[in-house]
Every structure is written in C-alpha cells, then in structure tokens.
Amino acid sequence: MPLVRIALRRGKPAAHLAALRNGVYEAMRETFDVPEDDRFILVHQHDADEFDCDPHYLGIDRSDDLVIVQVACRDSRSVAQKQAFYRRVAEKLAADPGLRPQDVFINLLETRAENWSFGHGVAQYV
C-alpha cells in the first residue's frame, strides 16, 4: 500500500519516466513484500528553478539528473528491509533508465495502518 512520489527536473522522455516508476515498484515488490497491483505512483516534474537540491550534501556528488523518491507506507518494515529497498532502487534505476546511484535520493514516510483509505471512505486496513 505504499504511495510513491517521484520528483525530478522536467524534460525526460516518457520511457525514462516509465523506467523510474517500474524500477521503484519492482524494488518494493522484491524488498517490501508489496502485493501485485498495489501500485500508486505519482511523477512530479519541475523546472530548474523549482528543484533546489544541494549538489554535494554529505559528500555525495549529485547531478541535474537527481531523482527524489518519497514513499509513504505503513510502519511495518524492518531496518534490514529498508536498507535492502534503498539498495535495490538504486540498482534498478542504474540499470534502467541509467541513473548514477549518487542521483537516487529516497525518503520513507511511515504511517499507521488506520491512516489509509483506498476508496469508499473506508479505512481498509483497520
């Protein structure tokens, strides 16, 4: 039930955006035990003046190809699962669409099960 938001600078082709969505989804399936079809992914493209990220924070050299992946999910994953997820996303996005691992920024927002409604005004996980 993760909700994924992917932010990047505007101008990438549709195939690049699809590779981002697919890579993150596949990594979630492999490391977070996300069921098939549990796919809710939003892509946000920004002009350069709307995308302000330090190119060297923590000694990581980022380029203009930086992608920020934010995942809202239940607070049910172990530290080991989270670390595996971070690695797997970086690997998948390096393979396709060819991002450098330095250009993959990931943030998890964990919430409790009752904070989700998938429709009908019902909290399905309560």
Side-chain angles (χ1 to χ4, degrees):
M1 48 69 101
L3 172 61
V4 178
R5 295 180 183 275
I6 301 172
L8 69 157
R9 288 191 180 185
R10 189 175 314 284
K12 299 296 184 189
H16 185 94
L17 303 178
L20 294 174
R21 293 190 317 271
N22 293 336
V24 172
Y25 175 69
E26 291 166 7
M28 287 190 308
R29 296 263 299 131
E30 293 173 14
T31 62
F32 272 16
D33 301 321
V34 170
E36 188 174 347
D37 298 329
D38 187 351
R39 184 175 173 131
F40 300 91
I41 303 172
L42 307 171
V43 176
H44 305 274
Q45 297 183 67
H46 303 272
D47 293 329
D49 62 344
E50 300 171 335
F51 197 80
D52 188 9
C53 302
D54 189 281
H56 306 293
Y57 183 66
L58 295 178
I60 301 168
D61 292 321
R62 295 171 192 85
S63 75
D64 288 345
D65 287 331
L66 176 67
V67 170
I68 298 175
V69 178
Q70 189 170 62
V71 181
C73 58
R74 281 195 330 213
D75 57 351
S76 61
R77 274 71 181 205
S78 68
V79 171
Q81 280 180 296
K82 294 171 191 178
Q83 291 173 321
F85 173 68
Y86 303 147
R87 278 190 306 273
R88 197 63 183 130
V89 169
E91 291 167 357
K92 292 253 181 209
L93 299 187
D96 187 18
L99 288 180
R100 300 173 329 127
Q102 300 94 312
D103 288 328
V104 179
F105 178 112
I106 303 169
N107 171 241
L108 295 181
L109 302 173
E110 296 180 300
T111 67
R112 295 170 40 145
E114 66 267 17
N115 294 328
W116 295 85
S117 173
F118 293 88
H120 297 293
V122 175
Q124 284 82 3
Y125 290 133
V126 174

